[in-house]
Amino acid sequence: MNEAARYSLYPMHKLRRVDNPTVRIFADIEQVREDENGYNRAVRGDFGSVVQRERARFCSKYPLGAVLRGFGSKLAPLMEGEPAKQRAPIPASPGVMSEHIKRVGYFLRADMVGICRVPPYAVYGHDSHGREIDLKHKYAILVVIDQDYDTMHRSSGSDWISGSQSHLGYSFAAVTACMISDYIRRLGYPARAHYARDYQVLIPPLLLWAGIGEHCRMGDSVLNPFLGARFKAAAVTTDLPLEPDRPIDFGLQSFCDQCGRCAEECPSKAIPMGGKTIYNGREVWKLDEERCTRFRLTNQRGSSCGRCIKVCPWNKPHGPLHSAARFVARTAPALDGLMVKMDKVFYPEKKNPAPWWFDLEERDGALVVPRSSGAVWAEPGS
Amino acid sequence: MNEAARYSLYPMHKLRRVDNPTVRIFADIEQVREDENGYNRAVRGDFGSVVQRERARFCSKYPLGAVLRGFGSKLAPLMEGEPAKQRAPIPASPGVMSEHIKRVGYFLRADMVGICRVPPYAVYGHDSHGREIDLKHKYAILVVIDQDYDTMHRSSGSDWISGSQSHLGYSFAAVTACMISDYIRRLGYPARAHYARDYQVLIPPLLLWAGIGEHCRMGDSVLNPFLGARFKAAAVTTDLPLEPDRPIDFGLQSFCDQCGRCAEECPSKAIPMGGKTIYNGREVWKLDEERCTRFRLTNQRGSSCGRCIKVCPWNKPHGPLHSAARFVARTAPALDGLMVKMDKVFYPEKKNPAPWWFDLEERDGALVVPRSSGAVWAEPGS
């Protein structure tokens, strides 16, 4: 673990490191196609015309969401490019360069930075337009941005600020990732930034291997012991020789097994209540992607949804109380059930403070106060 | 003072507020021209051909500086634009809207946000191309970004990372300011972001009136009690009705009067050692702008310079020790001289930890290890 990690607010360097992610991964994971994910199926009309129509506006129907959703496209010129013709006179040691690149990431205001090798299954076979992807970069640098605890605390997770919370993370992770990729190219090595809406890689497996978190019940998500799932990440892939981090084990598999709070509270019932299943070579809690996508896209009482992130007991402010809770989760899995009950007592949702944002919705080119009645979302078959 | 300020890491809401900035301002301050500032005079060749040539590369000769210096131009499409035709149904109260906009700024990862009325003298008469500026916006929102204490602690302030430290602040302040301006326009009000290399306003007087800091010895700079001068700011001007903050008084005028550390350590001797002088309607410590600009542009042992920011006793990590020092500076000006001496004992510069960056310089299209010998800078007359 690199010294540079100490510049994070969060002591990632103190976590237990393991050789393999805590979710079982079998050898034969197949590459997936980006054009087959929920968002792209929604664009094509696979989930019907209401979902297809709402896909274009589900985040940008809220004005701050529109700001953040539009932001990433401005960074496109920084995403990829030719590396400098001559390599810079920098140290040859992958360990030294890993430390340096992480410290650059913290300088560029990342909340966490991790590094891994890119496993072949983490590269999309085809992009969102169905074009074959040929990405051979060996390493990935993961840039993590917190979605803001106070805002999450004030929100239900599925109200009008929700899409903006996601895109806050996406946008700032994109800024730092684009800057890092530009920097590495200037040092004479190939590098490409991957961020919201233009990925050639899947972020969750890279987060697992870079030791940012463990796989959790919420579906194909990775949960960090300090931020919960309240973050977004971008990646930079590169051939600059780097020393990878190792996966972490903080006791989450047992905890999620006994908790299930996200599944209970999911407005679309997309998260499974029971145990894991084997899916494409991995033993995971398998999300019902259609229900989740439908709810987020057609939610009429808010913009998108992150209710699972909000209610998760790991979504907490950083401090000594939660350091103690993390210690118990790691060392005494028998107490996980008790911890889940204590969480409900200490963090009753009805005491949430007032929101700082205004409920607004774009309708026919103007912002209006949203209708709070009517159908909540376009359920399957509707 | 707004509740939203509490979302800053720094308790700006606890500072003493006053009706007028602590630097004396007379009624007849004249508008200044952006094309007459040091950088633009350097571009025109007013300081000779060496300075003119180095102007194009003084930050971008260092690879991370090049990344950050190039970044702001990507945000140009977000800087200004037409507001939405219809105004959003938002509260009419300027106090409520000030609180909201500040909280939006903190959500968008500002380190501090302040609001003021725009005094006419804070608007440039002409831009960097000599064109007349006609900006009538009533209010300014100031977005402050820390330049990273740890990096400043490891640097001399005038070495190879220096220009990157400045542009770290400029770039991230620009991101947040552009997002805020886009948001306000979507609410149906005019707004323009002002950030490095495309200002229509002078940032220092706006910082003074918004209560971000007091005028200090370092020239036309504003010093914040928590960050020292280790920050950069961008502004959003708007006609959205807002409630301004008030200026602050934390005892800096007496402190700077007795300190003079920045003047002692300035490599170009551009900062005055003695008392204030009256310059364009304000009683200030007047920087020798030509010496300062020349040094930053032609520094051959680094990229740009922020030595004054580095050595200032107010450049400190946030914590209880420095809260105590702030209390003494505010309440017991007779102890200012003692505090300056104690600072040298507690923070001896030779103990600085090793830098995390590599010394590199772009020469003829390739990065090389910089020459450390030779003339240090192009002094006046050279």
Side-chain angles (χ1 to χ4, degrees):
Chain A
M1 194 62 198
N2 293 310
E3 166 76 13
R6 291 162 206 256
Y7 299 103
S8 171
L9 178 63
Y10 310 99
M12 291 293 289
H13 58 286
K14 292 186 177 171
L15 297 172
R16 187 156 80 96
R17 298 280 160 170
V18 290
D19 287 336
N20 287 294
T22 52
V23 55
R24 284 175 67 201
I25 299 178
F26 306 98
D28 53 346
I29 305 184
E30 284 177 22
Q31 272 193 323
V32 297
R33 300 174 64 112
E34 191 178 13
D35 53 354
E36 286 303 322
N37 75 18
Y39 286 127
N40 289 309
R41 293 182 59 201
V43 172
R44 280 204 303 274
D46 285 10
F47 302 146
S49 60
V50 175
V51 178
Q52 189 176 31
R53 184 192 70 215
E54 293 297 304
R55 170 68 186 81
R57 65 185 286 276
F58 79 111
C59 279
S60 51
K61 68 186 179 184
Y62 188 69
L64 195 52
V67 168
L68 288 161
R69 199 166 150 65
F71 184 81
S73 64
K74 308 300 178 289
L75 307 179
L78 296 170
M79 192 177 67
E80 54 191 336
E82 284 300 307
K85 287 197 181 73
Q86 290 186 46
R87 289 187 171 175
I90 52 173
S93 155
V96 170
M97 287 310 296
S98 268
E99 172 129 0
H100 174 69
I101 291 294
K102 282 185 180 182
R103 190 62 188 81
V104 168
Y106 289 115
F107 182 68
L108 300 173
R109 297 174 72 89
D111 288 318
M112 288 175 195
V113 187
I115 294 174
C116 67
R117 278 182 208 284
V118 181
Y121 74 88
V123 180
Y124 278 117
H126 298 76
D127 72 10
S128 57
H129 305 286
R131 293 175 299 221
E132 243 180 83
I133 289 174
D134 181 37
L135 181 80
K136 302 275 186 234
H137 292 162
K138 283 196 195 85
Y139 304 99
I141 301 148
L142 281 299
V143 172
V144 171
I145 298 286
D146 187 354
Q147 290 173 231
D148 190 18
Y149 176 76
D150 174 73
T151 301
M152 195 65 87
H153 184 45
R154 289 166 192 269
S155 82
S156 71
S158 62
D159 46 20
W160 291 92
I161 197 67
S162 181
S164 307
Q165 290 175 285
S166 298
H167 282 276
L168 171 75
Y170 287 132
S171 293
F172 281 87
V175 168
T176 302
C178 284
M179 288 175 173
I180 292 174
S181 75
D182 185 4
Y183 178 60
I184 293 175
R185 291 191 299 269
R186 287 175 190 271
L187 297 180
Y189 292 83
R192 186 197 196 272
H194 305 260
Y195 62 91
R197 306 317 300 148
D198 200 345
Y199 299 108
Q200 293 189 340
V201 292
L202 288 90
I203 300 293
L206 298 178
L207 290 169
L208 271 189
W209 284 100
I212 298 295
E214 288 188 56
H215 187 85
C216 70
R217 183 183 287 276
M218 287 173 211
D220 221 346
S221 287
V222 166
L223 194 149
N224 174 274
F226 302 101
L227 300 173
R230 196 190 67 242
F231 69 89
K232 292 288 183 277
V236 178
T237 57
T238 182
D239 280 334
L240 175 72
L242 295 171
E243 185 177 285
D245 292 311
R246 295 165 69 213
I248 56 174
D249 180 358
F250 57 98
L252 188 68
Q253 301 313 298
S254 155
F255 190 95
C256 278
D257 198 45
Q258 294 186 53
C259 179
R261 184 89 187 267
C262 55
E264 285 165 26
E265 298 272 355
C266 172
S268 69
K269 301 294 171 214
I271 301 174
M273 286 294 299
K276 295 180 191 177
T277 47
I278 292 173
Y279 178 79
N280 190 18
R282 299 169 308 148
E283 193 185 37
V284 294
W285 286 284
K286 181 68 184 82
L287 185 76
D288 184 331
E289 201 176 35
E290 181 178 342
R291 294 189 75 87
C292 176
T293 304
R294 276 182 172 275
F295 186 86
R296 282 188 286 169
L297 269 47
T298 66
N299 176 9
Q300 293 190 23
R301 291 184 177 171
S303 160
S304 194
C305 179
R307 177 87 183 141
C308 47
I309 300 172
K310 151 79 188 190
V311 300
C312 173
W314 293 83
N315 170 37
K316 287 293 177 302
H318 188 45
L321 178 64
H322 298 290
S323 296
R326 266 191 303 277
F327 179 77
V328 175
R330 182 166 59 80
T331 56
L335 298 179
D336 285 348
L338 177 66
M339 303 251 297
V340 172
K341 282 180 191 140
M342 281 170 64
D343 182 66
K344 288 186 185 178
V345 175
F346 279 106
Y347 292 92
E349 197 175 352
K350 60 186 173 186
K351 279 197 176 170
N352 284 359
W356 56 259
W357 59 94
F358 308 127
D359 288 355
L360 292 168
E361 182 181 7
E362 188 271 322
R363 288 229 166 241
D364 304 321
L367 291 171
V368 297
V369 175
R371 299 178 291 204
S372 60
S373 59
V376 172
W377 63 297
E379 291 186 64
S382 68
Chain B
M1 195 63 197
N2 292 311
E3 164 77 13
R6 291 163 206 257
Y7 299 103
S8 170
L9 178 62
Y10 311 99
M12 291 293 289
H13 58 286
K14 293 186 177 171
L15 298 173
R16 187 155 81 94
R17 297 280 161 171
V18 289
D19 286 337
N20 288 295
T22 52
V23 56
R24 284 175 66 202
I25 299 177
F26 306 98
D28 53 348
I29 305 183
E30 285 178 21
Q31 272 193 322
V32 297
R33 301 174 64 111
E34 191 179 12
D35 53 353
E36 287 301 323
N37 75 17
Y39 285 126
N40 288 310
R41 293 182 60 200
V43 172
R44 281 205 301 273
D46 286 10
F47 302 146
S49 60
V50 175
V51 178
Q52 190 176 31
R53 183 193 70 217
E54 293 297 303
R55 170 67 186 83
R57 66 186 284 277
F58 80 111
C59 278
S60 50
K61 68 186 178 185
Y62 187 68
L64 195 52
V67 168
L68 288 161
R69 197 166 152 64
F71 184 81
S73 64
K74 308 299 178 289
L75 307 179
L78 295 170
M79 191 177 67
E80 54 191 335
E82 284 299 307
K85 289 200 179 72
Q86 290 187 45
R87 289 188 172 175
I90 52 173
S93 156
V96 170
M97 287 310 295
S98 267
E99 172 129 0
H100 174 70
I101 291 294
K102 282 185 180 182
R103 190 62 188 82
V104 168
Y106 289 116
F107 182 68
L108 299 172
R109 297 174 73 89
D111 288 317
M112 289 175 193
V113 187
I115 293 174
C116 67
R117 279 182 209 282
V118 181
Y121 75 88
V123 180
Y124 278 118
H126 298 74
D127 72 10
S128 57
H129 304 286
R131 294 176 298 222
E132 242 179 86
I133 288 174
D134 181 37
L135 181 80
K136 302 274 187 239
H137 292 162
K138 284 196 194 85
Y139 304 99
I141 302 148
L142 281 299
V143 173
V144 170
I145 298 286
D146 188 354
Q147 290 173 231
D148 191 17
Y149 176 75
D150 175 73
T151 301
M152 196 64 88
H153 185 45
R154 288 165 192 269
S155 83
S156 71
S158 61
D159 47 20
W160 291 92
I161 197 67
S162 182
S164 307
Q165 290 175 283
S166 298
H167 282 277
L168 171 75
Y170 287 133
S171 294
F172 281 88
V175 168
T176 302
C178 284
M179 287 176 173
I180 292 175
S181 75
D182 185 5
Y183 178 60
I184 293 175
R185 292 192 298 269
R186 287 175 190 271
L187 297 180
Y189 292 84
R192 186 197 197 272
H194 305 259
Y195 62 90
R197 305 318 299 147
D198 201 345
Y199 298 109
Q200 293 188 340
V201 291
L202 289 90
I203 299 294
L206 298 177
L207 290 168
L208 272 188
W209 284 100
I212 297 296
E214 288 189 56
H215 187 86
C216 69
R217 184 183 285 277
M218 287 174 211
D220 222 346
S221 286
V222 166
L223 193 148
N224 174 273
F226 303 101
L227 299 172
R230 195 189 67 243
F231 69 89
K232 292 288 183 277
V236 178
T237 56
T238 183
D239 281 335
L240 174 72
L242 295 171
E243 184 177 286
D245 292 311
R246 296 165 69 212
I248 56 174
D249 179 358
F250 57 97
L252 189 68
Q253 302 313 298
S254 155
F255 190 95
C256 279
D257 198 44
Q258 294 185 52
C259 179
R261 185 89 188 268
C262 55
E264 284 165 27
E265 298 272 354
C266 172
S268 69
K269 301 294 170 215
I271 301 174
M273 286 295 299
K276 295 180 189 175
T277 49
I278 292 174
Y279 178 78
N280 190 19
R282 298 169 308 148
E283 192 183 40
V284 293
W285 286 285
K286 181 68 184 82
L287 185 75
D288 184 331
E289 201 177 36
E290 180 178 342
R291 294 189 74 86
C292 176
T293 304
R294 276 182 172 274
F295 186 86
R296 283 188 286 169
L297 268 47
T298 67
N299 176 8
Q300 293 190 23
R301 291 183 177 171
S303 161
S304 193
C305 179
R307 177 87 184 141
C308 47
I309 299 172
K310 151 77 189 191
V311 300
C312 173
W314 293 83
N315 170 37
K316 287 293 178 301
H318 188 45
L321 178 65
H322 298 290
S323 298
R326 267 190 304 277
F327 178 79
V328 175
R330 182 165 59 81
T331 56
L335 298 180
D336 285 348
L338 177 66
M339 303 251 297
V340 172
K341 282 180 190 141
M342 281 169 63
D343 182 65
K344 289 186 185 178
V345 174
F346 279 106
Y347 292 92
E349 198 176 352
K350 60 186 170 185
K351 279 199 180 170
N352 284 0
W356 56 257
W357 59 93
F358 308 127
D359 288 356
L360 292 169
E361 181 181 6
E362 187 271 322
R363 289 229 166 242
D364 304 321
L367 291 171
V368 297
V369 176
R371 299 177 291 205
S372 60
S373 60
V376 173
W377 63 297
E379 292 186 62
S382 68

